[in-house]
Amino acid sequence: MKLLGLAGALCAGSAMAAPPLADYGKLPAVEQMRLSPSGDQLAFVAVVGEARKLVVESVAGEVRRVVDAGAMKVRQIDWRGDDHVLIVTSATFDLDPAAPVGKAEIGQTAVLDVATGKLATVFAGEPLIMHATFGEYGSSRSGDKIYGYFAGLPLSGSGDMRRDFDRGQAYLDKGYADLFKVDLDTGRASEKVGGGSALYGSDWVVGSDGAVVGQAQYEYGTGEWRLYGADATGAPIERRADPTG
């Protein structure tokens, strides 16, 4: 009887110590942890309720930067060198309430300068490039400057969306992205380094010197993949078809 009583007490104690059911539905407190190339710093997303904060700290635990991401969806963070952290987010934007599809999920990329705390949004200062990113394809360094390579949608017209719309001018005249070299300190595009295609989805490989060394294209209609070298206008190095994609 004593043994049965002890077993019952232990079971009761275990049941009382169980966490509340609400705890099982909670999101992780930390997401997207990334170690810097030197191994000296960590970047991660801290989740507090519905809000998210990007935190950069030394491996010893010294907090260097905290950036409030609000309720935006942080899709990815990554380091470019030991001085810059890329933050890829997405949010739902209202495009046109009268259109059949009035909302769209659009990705954007911000760059945190860890030393200064300055946050720059890629393409934000460009009147003739949509303020959204469609992939990031490497980085290069020239002296003290570091550059990233991002796919962006060029705009036509004056770059003033409202004025161009009022004049009946199309501000987005193609549905595919080109590849741009971007100053990570400012978010500004310094030059276009690769062109996309109206027929294919494009991906690029950029070497450490900033030169495009490879390009892949995917034809949606046939499911064919094509691999090119630096110049996508010549014959492909490899081509393979997969109708299922």
Side-chain angles (χ1 to χ4, degrees):
M1 292 295 293
K2 289 183 178 180
L3 289 175
L4 288 175
L6 178 60
L10 288 173
C11 290
S14 298
M16 291 175 62
L21 289 177
D23 285 353
Y24 292 97
K26 289 181 179 178
L27 295 172
V30 175
E31 301 174 347
Q32 304 272 353
M33 186 169 284
R34 298 289 186 270
L35 187 65
S36 68
S38 68
D40 294 333
Q41 301 178 94
L42 282 169
F44 58 89
V45 177
V47 182
V48 183
E50 295 296 321
R52 286 168 168 76
K53 296 181 184 293
L54 173 71
V55 181
V56 179
E57 63 179 36
S58 70
V59 292
E62 178 188 356
V63 177
R64 299 199 61 195
R65 297 292 171 193
V66 179
V67 177
D68 189 0
M72 295 187 73
K73 302 168 187 173
V74 180
R75 300 299 187 184
Q76 180 182 347
I77 63 172
D78 207 352
W79 288 89
R80 289 296 173 261
D82 259 41
D83 302 322
H84 296 83
V85 179
L86 300 186
I87 310 116
V88 182
T89 63
S90 68
T92 302
F93 290 86
D94 292 319
L95 297 179
D96 183 352
V101 179
K103 296 179 181 292
E105 189 87 1
I106 296 178
Q108 291 181 317
T109 303
V111 186
L112 173 66
D113 185 325
V114 176
T116 65
K118 180 182 176 182
L119 197 66
T121 301
V122 174
F123 300 142
E126 301 293 344
L128 292 178
I129 303 176
M130 181 182 285
H131 298 168
T133 52
F134 299 87
E136 191 258 342
Y137 296 93
S139 61
S140 67
R141 184 180 289 274
S142 177
D144 294 333
K145 295 289 292 183
I146 187 166
Y147 298 91
Y149 296 81
F150 298 87
L153 283 173
L155 305 178
S156 63
S158 68
D160 185 324
M161 185 183 299
R162 292 183 181 274
R163 185 170 65 185
D164 291 342
F165 181 80
D166 291 340
R167 292 177 178 176
Q169 298 174 350
Y171 59 87
L172 181 62
D173 59 1
K174 63 180 185 180
Y176 61 91
D178 294 328
L179 185 65
F180 295 91
K181 179 180 180 180
V182 174
D183 184 337
L184 294 188
D185 289 326
T186 65
R188 299 295 300 268
S190 61
E191 62 178 306
K192 172 183 163 182
V193 297
S197 169
L199 299 177
Y200 310 104
S202 296
D203 288 290
W204 297 269
V205 176
V206 178
S208 59
D209 61 352
V212 175
V213 297
Q215 183 172 345
Q217 293 183 346
Y218 174 70
E219 186 173 1
Y220 299 102
T222 63
E224 183 178 70
W225 295 89
R226 301 177 184 180
L227 176 64
Y228 296 87
D231 184 5
T233 62
I237 298 171
E238 181 76 20
R239 58 196 302 169
R240 296 190 182 186
D242 181 354
T244 65

